[in-house]
Amino acid sequence: MTQSTTVPGEARGLPRIGVDHPLAIAAAVAISFVGNAVVMGMPLMVGAWADFLHFDEQQVGWLASADLGGMFLASLATAALVSRLNRRHLALFGILVAIAGNYLSTQYHDYEPLLAMRVLAGFGGGICYSTGIACLAITTRTGRNFSIMMFGLVAINAIELYTIPHLTGAWGIDGIFLAFCVAFALCLAVIPCLYPHTPAGTAKATGERQAITDMRLPRLLPWCCLLAVSCFYITIGSFWAFIERAGVDAGLGDTFIANVLTLGNVFTLAGCVAAVWLSRRAGQSRVLMAALVGMAGVLALLAMEISATTFVIGTFGFCIAWLFTDIFQLGTLSHIDASGRYAALVPAAQGLAQTAAPAIAGFLLARELGYGAVMLLGAAGSLAALCLYAVVYARLRRLVPEMADAE
């Protein structure tokens, strides 16, 4: 696996790019964060659906679930096809579907047609996101490259949260959908830089390493990790979809809410450096479990009261814990599973929970249980993930101690 590896298409004038080439990594990162853009902008999208289209809490919950459900279906399809098809073709298909879904969302503002269009848009974005992760998973330094991806996600998220209020102020809800169309269209430029197939040498090397790992570890462990990812994304899907509405319900101003969400994401950029520093000293597993404890704590704080102070503390704490957990979830699974087949299912595990969580949260709100119940739902998801990772960590400590506290 080298940068000089020849890839299909070079004879037709496409760039000579290997799996670890900076351009290949940059292209994978770009389609990942654009594909995941709808998740990043979900709090303000939910607010826009309520403010501009006058949907109630249950309806906006289902709309959020429609986007995330489309991503879930796309991740399953991509996991099944990514080893068989050219990744460039997959990314192109995802981009075109996402553009179509977002453009059609500007034409249909009634609830049922818009619900269908958001499933379509989420499906296209999910293909891009999953394909980007699959491209990063075959690189040599996956930990570093996933950290780069998370850094990009945080940076773009901050820009997105800052920009959405200006887009809706100028063009209403359609401004968000058209901005997504433009972002996906720009991604067409990076498709030639994607590495199209898994190198044969990589598959052989990871197969040998995986055979050794399988002899020492029970096959249930990677599935425990995937279940923990789903539990954690119950937290993400419930909190992130409704935090803007919770702030409005508490009487906080729209500008204050948007600024706190933006600054919270900017703040987590420093967390990318801190994550590497902490993992070298304490190992990924312990930092991961500490982040989950912190996530449950800030959500419990918000469940008790949402004020300007707790909103700032909760948002900043949520963002930093989200960053740490995402990086170390991928790292933990990569240590256990050298083949990458379980890592390819991470977007599916995320999407399953993200599909269900907003709908469940909307159901709680429709029953007038309040936003405190939504925060407790999120805290429960993090605690469930913590229990699962504690089991995984205990088994690793007993069977493969060097892997339990690996960087």
Side-chain angles (χ1 to χ4, degrees):
M1 186 192 317
T2 64
Q3 291 186 9
S4 62
T5 302
T6 302
V7 300
E10 289 177 9
R12 297 189 295 275
L14 295 177
R16 180 184 173 87
I17 291 176
V19 65
D20 286 318
H21 195 285
L23 283 178
I25 294 170
V29 169
I31 66 167
S32 295
F33 61 62
V34 173
N36 202 42
V38 67
V39 177
M40 298 292 99
M42 188 59 72
L44 300 186
M45 282 186 64
V46 166
W49 285 327
D51 293 339
F52 289 93
L53 302 181
H54 309 295
F55 295 137
D56 60 31
E57 286 89 350
Q58 184 70 81
Q59 288 175 316
V60 298
W62 280 111
L63 282 168
S65 291
D67 261 297
L68 301 172
M71 293 187 71
F72 168 64
L73 295 174
S75 63
L76 291 179
T78 305
L81 298 174
V82 72
S83 61
R84 304 175 186 177
L85 301 181
N86 189 310
R87 288 179 172 87
R88 293 173 181 169
H89 299 162
L90 269 177
L92 176 61
F93 177 72
I95 288 170
L96 295 178
V97 171
I99 290 173
N102 281 294
Y103 177 74
L104 289 172
S105 295
T106 68
Q107 307 300 306
Y108 299 98
H109 287 173
D110 291 333
Y111 176 67
E112 289 82 4
L114 183 59
L115 196 70
M117 295 307 103
R118 296 321 301 163
V119 172
L120 184 66
F123 186 80
I127 288 178
C128 293
Y129 179 50
S130 299
T131 302
I133 286 183
C135 289
L136 293 175
I138 62 172
T139 59
T140 303
R141 301 179 64 184
T142 54
R144 182 202 66 176
N145 296 334
F146 280 129
S147 294
I148 291 172
M149 183 192 76
M150 290 305 301
F151 185 92
L153 282 173
V154 171
I156 295 300
N157 189 21
I159 295 171
E160 186 178 358
L161 292 173
Y162 175 79
T163 304
I164 282 178
H166 299 283
L167 294 173
T168 55
W171 296 289
I173 188 72
D174 290 345
I176 300 176
F177 302 140
L178 292 174
F180 285 154
C181 288
V182 172
F184 280 106
L186 291 175
C187 279
L188 292 170
V190 308
I191 287 180
C193 297
L194 292 175
Y195 196 86
H197 299 290
T198 302
T202 300
K204 181 180 178 181
T206 55
E208 292 171 353
R209 178 182 156 201
Q210 189 63 37
I212 295 172
T213 303
D214 285 344
M215 288 190 295
R216 302 175 69 185
L217 295 176
R219 294 185 179 181
L220 187 61
L221 284 190
W223 288 108
C224 280
C225 290
L226 287 171
L227 180 57
V229 170
S230 282
C231 290
F232 177 68
Y233 268 79
I234 289 286
T235 300
I236 302 304
S238 57
F239 175 94
W240 196 238
F242 284 98
I243 185 58
E244 187 269 350
R245 290 288 91 188
V248 170
D249 183 71
L252 306 179
D254 292 343
T255 302
F256 174 82
I257 293 170
N259 288 340
V260 170
L261 292 173
T262 301
L263 291 174
N265 279 273
V266 172
F267 175 74
T268 58
L269 291 174
C272 293
V273 178
V276 174
W277 184 83
L278 287 169
S279 69
R280 288 176 177 172
R281 283 152 181 80
Q284 291 192 26
S285 295
R286 283 186 280 186
V287 179
L288 169 59
M289 290 187 288
L292 289 168
V293 171
M295 178 69 88
V298 296
L299 291 179
L301 175 67
L302 289 170
M304 290 187 289
E305 180 190 16
I306 297 179
S307 63
T309 301
T310 59
F311 189 85
V312 171
I313 295 172
T315 300
F316 277 52
F318 172 87
C319 288
I320 193 70
W322 185 2
L323 173 79
F324 274 50
T325 304
D326 261 358
I327 290 175
F328 294 133
Q329 282 184 142
L330 288 167
T332 299
L333 193 54
S334 296
H335 286 314
I336 295 172
D337 169 42
S339 72
R341 62 180 180 269
Y342 291 103
L345 291 172
V346 166
Q350 294 172 340
L352 177 64
Q354 285 180 312
T355 302
I360 296 171
F363 174 82
L364 295 175
L365 293 171
R367 296 299 180 275
E368 299 184 353
L369 296 177
Y371 288 98
V374 175
M375 301 304 158
L376 291 176
L377 172 65
S382 289
L383 290 175
L386 173 64
C387 292
L388 287 165
Y389 281 121
V391 170
V392 171
Y393 181 67
R395 294 302 296 272
L396 290 177
R397 288 275 293 179
R398 185 162 63 87
L399 298 174
V400 194
E402 68 275 13
M403 190 180 292
D405 293 309
E407 296 181 18

